[in-house]
Amino acid sequence: MRIDILTLFPEMFQAVLGQSMLKLAREKELVSYHLWNIRDYTLDKHKKVDDRPYGGGPGMVMTPEPVFRAIEEVERDDSEPARKVLLTPQGERFTQSTAEALSREKRLMLVCGHYEGFDERIRQGFDFLEISIGDYVLSGGETPAMVVIDAVVRLVPGVLGDEDSPEVESFKNGLLEYPQYTKPREFRGLKVPDVLISGHHERIQQWREDQAQERTRIKRPDLLKRPGPKTVSR
Ligand code: 4GX
């Protein structure tokens, strides 16, 4: 998978993409990251990327020219057409289902806005999948883009080993994860449940299922009555 990231702050991504699973995925050549600075696509000598809103009001709005030029030029950098994603509070909520659908794409282009928003004509000019990571206001689309990249890349086949196969983890079956323990068997008076030491694989499996059910019922009852799988529309 190829991931193009268009942003005014490419440096924000260096640490996140250069560590742990996202770095390993790139080293295994299962994914490539391409960072592009929208400011490099300005045409004026002041490299202006934002301006005051027509009609007045607070804040600044990203100007269309550099964003259009960046998206068009980056698209042409590869013959594979990019699924374009805009991070915005107006988008559809990002879930594990969205991540699964996006993990099947060959090429993603994530467009990160900053300031109060985008000139509306940017939305009109391209076929974006608009994604929101949650109902709160952030200062830019960069941190949401990192969330999307993390959730998507770990689902790309071959990125995770068998040990932490994404199938067994939270949300795949619509439930929260069961409690996990490692050594020591007793820590500050707190013991590991006997069933996990028993070696009875069937009983362990049953205990984990029961724990996941009960935990979900208590902490996230909303997950027990959710709709089925979702697909990303073009
Ligand atoms: N989940 N923000 C984007 C600026 C902006 C606005 C409109 C493009 C179009 C957010 C979220 C989020 C704040 C990111 C405003 N860019 N994005 N930014 N919550 O709050 O995704």
Side-chain angles (χ1 to χ4, degrees):
M1 175 185 288
R2 169 178 172 134
I3 303 179
D4 291 288
I5 305 157
L6 281 63
T7 168
L8 290 171
F9 302 97
E11 311 76 34
M12 285 179 69
F13 289 85
Q14 304 293 356
V16 169
L17 300 180
Q19 311 279 334
S20 186
M21 177 274 300
L22 294 175
K23 182 190 190 185
L24 278 164
R26 176 172 52 190
E27 286 173 352
K28 291 184 186 172
E29 297 187 34
L30 297 169
V31 62
S32 63
Y33 311 114
H34 306 262
L35 285 158
W36 308 90
N37 193 331
I38 294 168
R39 198 177 294 278
D40 293 341
Y41 298 87
T42 51
L43 292 170
D44 68 305
K45 68 171 178 182
H46 299 292
K47 303 192 176 194
K48 218 169 145 43
V49 292
D50 62 332
D51 215 325
R52 299 187 318 211
Y54 276 121
M60 298 292 269
V61 174
M62 277 179 81
T63 209
E65 180 86 62
V67 181
F68 265 80
R69 295 188 65 235
I71 292 171
E72 288 163 354
E73 281 200 34
V74 170
E75 178 80 65
R76 285 197 292 272
D77 197 60
D78 195 292
S79 59
E80 182 68 36
R83 164 64 52 103
K84 294 170 200 69
V85 174
L86 180 64
L87 291 314
T88 163
Q90 295 171 41
E92 68 176 68
R93 176 66 53 86
F94 185 66
T95 65
Q96 191 64 19
S97 301
T98 325
E100 284 164 17
L102 291 180
S103 75
R104 294 189 278 270
E105 297 283 343
K106 286 196 180 127
R107 184 181 181 198
L108 298 179
M109 185 189 297
L110 304 177
V111 179
C112 307
H114 227 85
Y115 312 109
E116 279 58 41
F118 265 23
D119 186 300
E120 189 61 25
R121 290 165 293 189
I122 298 167
R123 281 200 180 83
Q124 294 169 343
F126 301 94
D127 179 17
F128 285 117
L129 176 65
E130 298 193 27
I131 287 181
S132 166
I133 63 160
D135 292 338
Y136 32 78
V137 182
L138 300 167
S139 56
E142 286 78 14
T143 49
M146 293 176 203
V147 167
V148 169
I149 292 167
D150 190 311
V152 168
V153 169
R154 63 186 290 288
L155 297 176
V156 170
V159 169
L160 294 188
D162 275 352
E163 252 196 302
D164 37 1
S165 158
E167 273 70 42
V168 301
E169 286 181 55
S170 289
F171 298 117
K172 180 68 197 183
N173 54 11
L175 298 176
L176 297 179
E177 187 62 278
Y178 49 76
Q180 304 213 71
Y181 297 86
T182 184
K183 282 186 269 193
R185 282 189 55 173
E186 185 174 340
F187 178 71
R188 299 193 180 179
L190 302 171
K191 295 189 175 82
V192 176
D194 284 336
V195 61
L196 298 179
I197 321 292
S198 70
H200 283 89
H201 289 298
E202 217 161 274
R203 271 197 255 162
I204 291 170
Q205 192 56 33
Q206 188 60 54
W207 182 85
R208 285 177 168 169
E209 277 169 33
D210 294 347
Q211 290 288 318
Q213 277 291 346
E214 183 62 1
R215 200 171 245 223
T216 309
R217 192 177 66 78
I218 301 296
K219 296 188 181 183
R220 292 293 307 278
D222 56 302
L223 292 178
L224 295 172
K225 36 185 178 223
R226 71 169 194 159
K230 187 176 63 181
T231 51
V232 173
S233 51
R234 184 48 128 162

